[in-house]
Amino acid sequence: ETKMWKGGFSMSCHSALRRRLNARMVSFSARYSSLLLPLPPSSPRTTSTRLQKPSPATSWSPPPFLCRALSSRNEVEERIRKYAKEACRVEELQGFEAKDVLSSAVIGAGTMGGGIAMCLAEKNIKVQLIDKDPKMLQGCFERMKKNWENAVSKGKITKEVLEQRLKCIHLHDSVDACRGVDLVIEAIFEDMKAKKEIFKEVDTVAKEDAILASNTSTLNIDHIFSDVSRPHNTVGLHFFSPAQVMPLLEVVRGGSSSKQTLATAMKLGQTLGKSPVLAGNCFGFIGNRMFESYTKEAMFLLEEGALPHEVDEAIQEWGMVMGPFAVSDLAGLDIGYLIRKEQGLVDPQTRSKESGRYAGTIADRLVLSGRKGQKTQGGFYDYSKGRNPERDPSVEEIVKSVSRDLGVTRRKIQKEEIVERCILSLVNEGYKILDEGIARAWTDIDVVYAYGYGARNQQPMTYARELGMKKVLELIRKYQRQCPDAPHWKPAQGILDALREEDRLRAQQQNVPYLG
């Protein structure tokens, strides 16, 4: 289980500014404590070292974006809370009565399954935790118990609450335990065939009105449930890891999901203390579909001349809690590798031309060398001394060797380019998602990134609107010319429409004719 870290920032700044920054991060630390990592110092490091505390004599001036974040922290939090409330009010679901969920089954006793079971038990919802591996089951139960015991020792809950939660958890090795429950959540690894087989079996034993839900993070919901007899009672419930901590829940609408099923899923999210966001069905839904373009650009930056810590530092300074490579290490590099393999991208012989430039070469080499992230003490960073990421010369040599193999001449890449390419790839994909109706509103997208991906000080869609669509489109076209083999740089129609709307409003304000 992911341990919580509640420290301040390790930045080259004087103590007064650091105290102010830490004070403003208290509420955020409580919510995202499992994701917080110290920011790398601005000076480059050439050896594998921990992030060092700066000398008191160090002279440092905060960059403009940090000053803005310090002065508008409360404003940002209030705005996101407002957007989250709006995301819960789905007009088309008004008038449809949500079912009560008093009992549940969670299939899969891994990290996600255990976290989801904790969420349910903490709200006194009975949980049948199912896994064929008895060691996995018992290990998962012990981790849950330890987490709650730690909460008791810190005075967060009483012993009576601990005992009540433990009574809600029941361990089983067969899906027969799904009989009679109101909700079944599958939380196994990302494998379409395995998920379909589980639901075919569950469909034969679960009661007729039970809701069947998959915790898939990327796979097509309609395909997962294609063999069940109750497609109207199916839905995607994408929790974010660690599920007992992260506040976001993507509720994924299947092609046959009934309004009552969706209303129940949205209400359940709120009951669990989550911020549910309704998403359409496509690869990756809202968050992970956008994140794919974001990580692709981060990988391309490595191939072209940047190093992992340089990319992560720039993105953290922009406003993310963690950079893309620290996030990948936390999630597990093998997960992305399996997804790419499922898509036929790992093998050049099965890779389609339409997919464009392949971004996974460096990550594939790390996984094949045994580096799968924090869980193996090594991914893009070294974790042999703990959970804080440290630069690893062997990884940086792999990065450089991939550049050589691809015939790419490495160059110095400035922070400005790193931020523009990573964040605007998010923005462009976000507008494509809006164009397709996968997201209901741009504000929903910002909720997803604030609560699911740690965009604490800035969110991508608000950032784009503040930047202005003219500038956004100008930069997207710039990188489309620079990266012609990356299809995700094709401008979204929504950006073109937004630019026209900006021009129309400007003409109206200036009392001049709008020529279109």
Side-chain angles (χ1 to χ4, degrees), residues 303 397-410:
E303 293 177 359
E397 183 50 45
I398 289 174
V399 169
K400 293 172 184 177
S401 69
V402 168
S403 299
R404 288 193 296 270
D405 293 347
L406 295 175
V408 176
T409 301
R410 295 180 65 81

Side-chain angles (χ1 to χ4, degrees), residues 111-131:
T111 301
M112 285 304 302
I116 294 169
M118 287 181 70
C119 291
L120 295 162
E122 287 173 5
K123 299 302 178 181
N124 291 321
I125 298 174
K126 294 179 182 179
V127 183
Q128 312 300 324
L129 183 59
I130 302 167
D131 200 296

Side-chain angles (χ1 to χ4, degrees), residues 456-502:
R456 63 175 185 270
N457 288 331
Q458 297 195 75
Q459 293 78 42
M461 305 305 279
T462 297
Y463 168 76
R465 294 170 75 85
E466 291 177 349
L467 196 60
M469 288 302 116
K470 182 176 181 181
K471 183 64 175 178
V472 167
L473 184 59
E474 175 187 314
L475 289 170
I476 286 175
R477 283 178 168 160
K478 169 187 172 182
Y479 292 118
Q480 185 183 27
R481 291 190 297 271
Q482 186 173 315
C483 311
D485 50 357
H488 58 262
W489 281 121
K490 180 181 178 181
Q493 183 61 42
I495 291 178
L496 302 175
D497 294 341
L499 177 58
R500 279 193 288 270
E501 180 63 13
E502 276 188 3

Side-chain angles (χ1 to χ4, degrees), residues 129-416:
L129 183 59
I130 302 167
D131 200 296
K132 291 182 178 180
D133 187 337
K135 290 184 178 179
M136 284 285 289
L137 269 176
Q138 193 58 40
C140 183
F141 181 77
E142 292 301 325
R143 287 193 299 274
M144 288 189 285
K145 184 180 178 182
K146 184 177 180 180
N147 275 337
W148 287 328
E149 287 174 341
N150 288 340
V152 171
S153 67
K154 294 175 182 177
K156 295 181 177 180
I157 62 172
T158 64
K159 288 184 178 180
E160 290 74 21
V161 170
L162 165 63
E163 292 301 322
Q164 179 59 38
R165 290 178 178 180
L166 292 175
K167 287 178 182 178
C168 287
I169 305 291
H170 304 274
L171 308 183
H172 302 274
D173 61 3
S174 167
V175 297
D176 286 342
C178 294
R179 295 181 189 276
V181 302
D182 300 319
L183 169 70
V184 179
I185 303 177
E186 163 273 310
I188 68 167
F189 51 92
E190 289 290 84
D191 182 280
M192 178 65 76
K193 183 179 179 181
K195 290 177 186 289
K196 285 173 69 71
E197 288 176 354
I198 282 175
F199 280 114
K200 282 173 71 174
E201 192 174 353
V202 168
D203 192 39
T204 64
V205 298
K207 65 180 184 178
E208 187 177 346
D209 63 343
I211 291 177
L212 309 186
S214 174
N215 180 56
T216 180
S217 59
T218 58
L219 300 179
N220 188 302
I221 290 295
D222 292 332
H223 291 173
I224 290 174
F225 295 115
S226 61
D227 296 326
V228 304
S229 62
R230 61 185 93 191
H232 59 289
N233 279 347
T234 63
V235 69
L237 291 178
H238 179 207
F239 291 79
F240 286 69
S241 184
Q244 70 275 21
V245 175
M246 295 299 286
L248 179 67
L249 175 66
E250 279 186 319
V251 175
V252 185
R253 178 206 305 267
S256 300
S257 301
S258 72
K259 299 289 179 63
Q260 185 181 40
T261 296
L262 296 174
T264 302
M266 294 293 287
K267 180 184 175 183
L268 175 68
Q270 295 176 75
T271 299
L272 298 180
K274 305 297 185 186
S275 291
V277 174
L278 185 61
N281 183 25
C282 68
F283 174 82
F285 320 127
I286 296 174
N288 279 342
R289 173 169 160 181
M290 290 171 63
F291 199 73
E292 184 186 27
S293 298
Y294 169 77
T295 52
K296 277 183 179 180
E297 277 306 307
M299 296 301 304
F300 293 156
L301 287 162
L302 293 194
E303 293 177 359
E304 294 169 25
L307 293 173
H309 73 277
E310 294 171 338
V311 174
D312 279 0
E313 177 182 350
I315 296 304
Q316 283 182 286
E317 288 182 1
W318 177 81
M320 292 284 197
V321 173
M322 301 170 70
F325 300 116
V327 169
S328 296
D329 280 350
L330 180 63
L333 302 186
D334 53 323
I335 295 175
Y337 177 78
L338 290 173
I339 292 172
R340 292 191 294 276
K341 194 171 182 181
E342 175 83 12
Q343 294 175 314
L345 297 175
V346 172
D347 184 353
Q349 301 300 319
T350 59
R351 200 179 298 157
S352 68
K353 293 181 179 179
E354 291 75 19
S355 62
R357 177 180 172 185
Y358 183 56
T361 306
I362 294 171
D364 292 350
R365 290 195 187 181
L366 292 176
V367 171
L368 294 175
S369 69
R371 303 183 67 96
K372 299 178 182 179
Q374 286 193 17
K375 57 189 171 186
T376 59
Q377 297 189 337
F380 285 101
Y381 296 103
D382 174 52
Y383 300 93
S384 60
K385 297 179 182 178
R387 291 190 180 274
N388 286 336
E390 298 184 10
R391 288 179 61 181
D392 191 323
S394 67
V395 172
E396 295 177 10
E397 183 50 45
I398 289 174
V399 169
K400 293 172 184 177
S401 69
V402 168
S403 299
R404 288 193 296 270
D405 293 347
L406 295 175
V408 176
T409 301
R410 295 180 65 81
R411 60 186 174 87
K412 176 64 178 176
I413 299 178
Q414 301 299 322
K415 287 185 179 181
E416 182 180 22

Side-chain angles (χ1 to χ4, degrees), residues 2 25 53 76 90 128 297 323 346 391 420 447 475 478:
T2 304
M25 283 298 292
K53 182 182 289 187
V76 171
V90 182
Q128 312 300 324
E297 277 306 307
V346 172
R391 288 179 61 181
E420 288 175 353
V447 172
L475 289 170
K478 169 187 172 182

